[in-house]
Structures are given as structure tokens and as C-alpha cells.
């Protein structure tokens, strides 16, 4: 059985910010590939396959994890990695992107419900308030009321992506000393890459797009460099720092802080792609940051070691030597 995670707010917040920066950049670095005509599922598969390839030496080194925690590895590959990606892209084929993203980011709310109703765990009021504010801010940021149309299947697919995101937070909290986080990510990305093969069909990918030069803002960048960045930074590093944040902050608190990923994505899109924010979206970003800040205040600092208590006199007779 894995050891209980040690909570530590300063390092947890540092890892959470790094994870938000890494995850938040995925859309910006994927945009040139998508604008060039690459299928979204091809971009997703390249992202996961790149991470699997880069982390394969770690998988070989920690191969015993397969026998120690096989269910964790399988669940991590199925739900947080393959599940979220595939369900989200299937959802946006039926409902607007903003609505799908908002529903997907209900994952932290599902974490709170799971902890309260299934695990019977007391949920901090600050964590609940922070997540609620973050959801409200995300709605403002995405302006979800614009052009909304309801499709039952699309909403169900997006809710499935939210469940996968919730599984990411909960499963990350279950990694321990017997399951190195990088090993879990390595085997999870390998599992997800294999599972998405029949859906993405990478053999139909136009390989010329990988050698073509594309514009990332003012910078010309080859397609393969963008794919490499997606695999290394936006997947391998993002998931590793995300797991580290969850184990130091707890799933529900890390879920609230994770909304900074959306703000990061918007800011990077503004800086690199020139996508400006409306006043309502700026207000939404402020609300998200406020919610994340309130959520993280619920994390206790590193506990003080208990004070030594004087030993009670031992009235038992000393052993004969």
C-alpha cells in the first residue's frame, strides 16, 4: 500500500503553477498544426505518442511498476490521458468549444462530490467556495452564453471528459513511493497512445505537415518542433508537475488551482497569437484567479513536529542482565 502523501502548500503551489503553464500552452502550440489542416485527433495522438517515446527509458527503468500497480497504470492511461482527450474532441464535434470546455472543467466539482458522498471525506468550505468561483469565472471567460446549442450526446461526452479530469486528480493522489510519478505518466502515455490508435488512425497523417514551417506568432517553427513541445512540455512535464501538485495540495485544492490553466492559455494566446480578451473575459480571469487563491488557502502548511512529552516513570522492575 502506498504511503499517505505529505501536504506542503509552498511547493504544491509552485508545482501547480508550473503544471498550469505547461498544460495551458498546449492549445497555443497546437494551433499552428490545426490551422495547417492537421486533424485534432492526430495532434492529440502525436502529443501522447511523443510523451510515450520521450518517457520510454523511464518506463524501462521502472518496469516493476507494471506488476506493483497495474490497475493504477491502466486507469491512468484510460481516464486522464486517453479518455479526456478523446471525449473532449468528440464533444466539440457536437457542442460549442466554450460549452465543452466549461463542462470538462467541472472535473474539480466532481472531485468534491466524490470525496463527500463516496469517501465520506470532509470538504473544506474554502475549497468548495474556490471551485464554485472558478467555475463561474470560467463561464465568464468563455462567454458560454454566446451561440449556445444543446445536444444531449455532446453534453454527455463532455461530462465524460469531466469525469476523466476528476479521475486525474484522484488517481494522482494515489501514487506513492511504490509508483514513481514519472513512471505512472510514462506507462499511462504508452497505454493512451495504444488505445487511441484505432480512433486517431495516425497512418493517415499528412507527414508533410511535420516538416513544413508554421508561424507561432512572429516566429517560424517547423511542425515537428511543435509536436515535440506538445509531447515533452505540454504532456510529460505538465502531468509530472500536476501529480506533484496534487500530492502536496490534495485533489480538491489542486482542482481549484488548476483553473489557472485556462487563464494561462488565454494569456499565451494573447501574447503569441494576438487573440485579445473582451472586458467580460478579463473579469472572468480575475474571478478564476480569486477562486484559485481561496481554494489554496485551505491547504494546511507543513505541520510542526509534535513537542516531546516527558516520559512517565516506569514502575516495572528492570530486567536482569
Amino acid at each position: 500500500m502506498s504511503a499517505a502523501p505529505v501536504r506542503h502548500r509552498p511547493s504544491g503551489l509552485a508545482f501547480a503553477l508550473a503544471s498550469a503553464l505547461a498544460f495551458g500552452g498546449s492549445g497555443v502550440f497546437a494551433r499552428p498544426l490545426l490551422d495547417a489542416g492537421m486533424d485534432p485527433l492526430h495532434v492529440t495522438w502525436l502529443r501522447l505518442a511523443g510523451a510515450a517515446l520521450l518517457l520510454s527509458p523511464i518506463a524501462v527503468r521502472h518496469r516493476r511498476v507494471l506488476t506493483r500497480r497495474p490497475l493504477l497504470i491502466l486507469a491512468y492511461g484510460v481516464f486522464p490521458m486517453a479518455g479526456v482527450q478523446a471525449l473532449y474532441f468528440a464533444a466539440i464535434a457536437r457542442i460549442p468549444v466554450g460549452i465543452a470546455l466549461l463542462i470538462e472543467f467541472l472535473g474539480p466539482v466532481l472531485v468534491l462530490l466524490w470525496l463527500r458522498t463516496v469517501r465520506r471525506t470532509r470538504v473544506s468550505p474554502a475549497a468548495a467556495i474556490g471551485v464554485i468561483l472558478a467555475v463561474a469565472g470560467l463561464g465568464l471567460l468563455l462567454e458560454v452564453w454566446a451561440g449556445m446549442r444543446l445536444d444531449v450526446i455532446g453534453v454527455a461526452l463532455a461530462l465524460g471528459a469531466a469525469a476523466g479530469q476528476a479521475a486525474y486528480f484522484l488517481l494522482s493522489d494515489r501514487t506513492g513511493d511504490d509508483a514513481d510519478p514519472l513512471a505512472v505518466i510514462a506507462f499511462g502515455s504508452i497505454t493512451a497512445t495504444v488505445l487511441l490508435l484505432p480512433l486517431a488512425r495516425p497512418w493517415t497523417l499528412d507527414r508533410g505537415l511535420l516538416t513544413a514551417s508554421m508561424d507561432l506568432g512572429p516566429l517560424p517553427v517547423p511542425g515537428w518542433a511543435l509536436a515535440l513541445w506538445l509531447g515533452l512540455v505540454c504532456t510529460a512535464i505538465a502531468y509530472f508537475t500536476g501529480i506533484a501538485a496534487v500530492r502536496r495540495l490534495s485533489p480538491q485544492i489542486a482542482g481549484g488551482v488548476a483553473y489557472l490553466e485556462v487563464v494561462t492559455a488565454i494569456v499565451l494566446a494573447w501574447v503569441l497569437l494576438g487573440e485579445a480578451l473582451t472586458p467580460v473575459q478579463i473579469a472572468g480571469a480575475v474571478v478564476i484567479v480569486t477562486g484559485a487563491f481561496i481554494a489554496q488557502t485551505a491547504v494546511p502548511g507543513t505541520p510542526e513536529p509534535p513537542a516531546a512529552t516527558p516520559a512517565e516513570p516506569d514502575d516495572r522492575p528492570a530486567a536482569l542482565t
Side-chain angles (χ1 to χ4, degrees):
M1 184 177 294
S2 61
V6 178
R7 306 304 186 191
H8 186 249
R9 181 165 62 189
S11 61
L13 291 176
F15 278 116
L17 179 59
S19 181
L21 289 171
F23 273 127
S26 61
V28 173
F29 285 89
R31 172 60 67 84
L33 294 170
L34 295 171
D35 289 346
M38 186 176 291
D39 187 272
L41 279 176
H42 285 161
V43 177
T44 301
W45 189 87
L46 284 174
R47 175 181 178 179
L48 293 171
L53 181 62
L54 291 167
L55 295 176
S56 57
I58 295 174
V60 173
R61 180 179 179 182
H62 294 274
R63 55 188 176 276
R64 292 183 179 178
V65 174
L66 284 174
T67 57
R68 290 175 181 170
R69 307 292 296 277
L71 294 180
L72 175 64
I73 296 299
L74 179 61
Y76 209 85
V78 170
F79 298 108
M81 303 196 85
V84 172
Q85 305 288 342
L87 289 170
Y88 174 71
F89 281 119
I92 63 177
R94 292 177 170 270
I95 60 177
V97 173
I99 301 296
L101 189 57
L102 175 60
I103 296 174
E104 179 190 335
F105 268 83
L106 291 176
V109 178
L110 297 180
V111 170
L112 292 178
L113 293 175
W114 174 272
L115 293 175
R116 187 69 185 90
T117 61
V118 178
R119 291 191 185 174
R120 303 292 182 182
T121 302
R122 179 182 176 276
V123 175
S124 165
I129 292 172
V131 170
I132 292 171
L133 280 176
V135 171
L138 187 62
L140 292 173
L141 187 66
L142 298 174
E143 297 180 335
V144 295
W145 57 85
M148 179 176 178
R149 59 187 178 87
L150 181 63
D151 181 277
V152 175
I153 296 178
V155 170
L157 290 168
L159 283 173
Q165 188 192 61
Y168 162 67
F169 292 116
L170 294 170
L171 289 171
S172 296
D173 198 46
R174 301 294 295 174
T175 61
D177 295 336
D178 60 341
D180 183 270
L182 269 179
V184 173
I185 298 167
F187 284 111
S189 59
I190 292 171
T191 302
T193 300
V194 174
L195 289 174
L196 286 179
L197 267 176
L199 186 61
R201 299 189 300 165
W203 51 86
T204 63
L205 170 67
D206 182 3
R207 294 176 178 81
L209 294 175
L210 295 176
T211 57
S213 178
M214 303 175 186
D215 293 331
L216 181 64
L219 303 174
V221 181
W224 63 265
L226 295 171
L228 180 63
W229 183 274
L230 288 172
L232 175 61
V233 177
C234 300
T235 306
I237 293 178
Y239 274 99
F240 171 71
T241 52
I243 289 180
V246 170
R247 288 185 55 77
R248 287 162 175 79
L249 295 175
S250 84
Q252 63 267 37
I253 307 303
V257 180
Y259 284 93
L260 292 175
E261 174 189 335
V262 184
V263 179
T264 301
I266 297 296
V267 171
L268 288 177
W270 172 53
V271 173
L272 294 177
L273 303 179
E275 297 180 355
L277 294 175
T278 66
V280 172
Q281 289 175 319
I282 294 174
V286 172
V287 174
I288 289 174
V289 173
T290 302
F293 175 78
I294 292 175
Q296 64 87 19
T297 60
V299 187
T302 305
E304 296 280 343
T309 56
E312 296 181 1
D314 192 349
D315 294 330
R316 294 175 299 175
L320 297 176
T321 57

